[in-house]
Amino acid sequence: MRTPPPLQQPTVIPGSWRLPDRSALPPLERIIAAPRTPRPVYAFYCWAEEYRRRHAVLREIGWRNFRLSGPITDEVMRLFVEDDVEVMFTIAARDPFPAPSALGWRWRNRSDFESDEAFIVAYVADVQKVLRRYGPNGTFFREHPALPHRPLRHIEIFNEPNLFYLDRPLAEKGLRPPKGDTKARQARQEQDRVRQQLYALLLPRAYRAIKAEWPEVKVVGFGTSGGGGADVPFVRGVHAASPEVAGSYDIFSTHPYA
């Protein structure tokens, strides 16, 4: 068996990154003596069906924070409530309450609507449906008064909107104008610009709708794909597209796949 060469470590810290001053950390004895939090700062990303099928293992491991994407059901919400876990629910390019079919959960995004406005109205309606069912004082808890009141309190507005999920049919997954010539580069830049402008409209509308009914719910913005540093220009472009964006999320999220 061939031994791989040792991993080459960088010798220069890039950009604005810097190493922390380790002397600023508290003494180890104080850290050890501090009371343990019931919800450690790590989480697991899964779909509702995965949580249901792997529930026994996940509960045994003891994870207490989950990023849930895709559809949600009463059965899975009951498990979350009974397990006393914290859930960040991502309302992405799938209908959160579809009927299962042979084709899977129904996919829909901007490509399925005649206009940006029609897409945004439908998306905000999905957000409201989810919270009216599973949010604070939602119908799910009124129908199950014996369950602890542990509603969804963190809602993420879309998943990786800087990718095709926001505005392309599922069949076009991963397709982008190729790199190379000037025309292709311009097409990529225009595609990015359109997505930035659309999300700059979507995020504030969703934020206002959530805070109007559920001011205690935390809105998680962006959830961008960070592969190759693709999140940075998208986040900058969205903020530049609308001054309202900066005040339209409580928590910033990105996925640093580097």
Side-chain angles (χ1 to χ4, degrees), residues 33 44 57 74 98 100-101 128 163 171 173 176 187 193 198 225 227 239 241-242:
F44 193 84
V57 174
D74 284 5
S101 69
Q128 293 169 322
L163 299 184
K173 178 179 180 180
R176 288 202 68 183
R193 186 189 67 80
L198 178 57
S225 170
H239 281 86
S242 170

Side-chain angles (χ1 to χ4, degrees), residues 11 15 17 30 113 145 149 225 241 243:
T11 58
W17 291 95
R30 189 192 308 173
F113 296 86
H149 185 252
S225 170

Side-chain angles (χ1 to χ4, degrees), residues 119-135:
F119 164 65
I120 292 170
V121 167
Y123 181 87
V124 170
D126 283 346
V127 172
Q128 293 169 322
K129 289 176 187 175
V130 168
L131 286 173
R132 286 169 183 165
R133 181 65 181 163
Y134 301 118

Side-chain angles (χ1 to χ4, degrees), residues 143-161:
E143 293 171 9
H144 302 86
L147 288 176
H149 185 252
R150 294 171 180 153
L152 296 179
R153 298 186 184 277
H154 298 81
I155 297 294
E156 187 173 49
I157 306 304
F158 228 82
N159 173 61
E160 301 187 342

Side-chain angles (χ1 to χ4, degrees), residues 102-113:
L103 299 177
W105 300 100
R106 185 162 68 93
W107 178 282
R108 63 178 182 179
N109 60 16
R110 171 62 183 87
S111 67
D112 299 300
F113 296 86

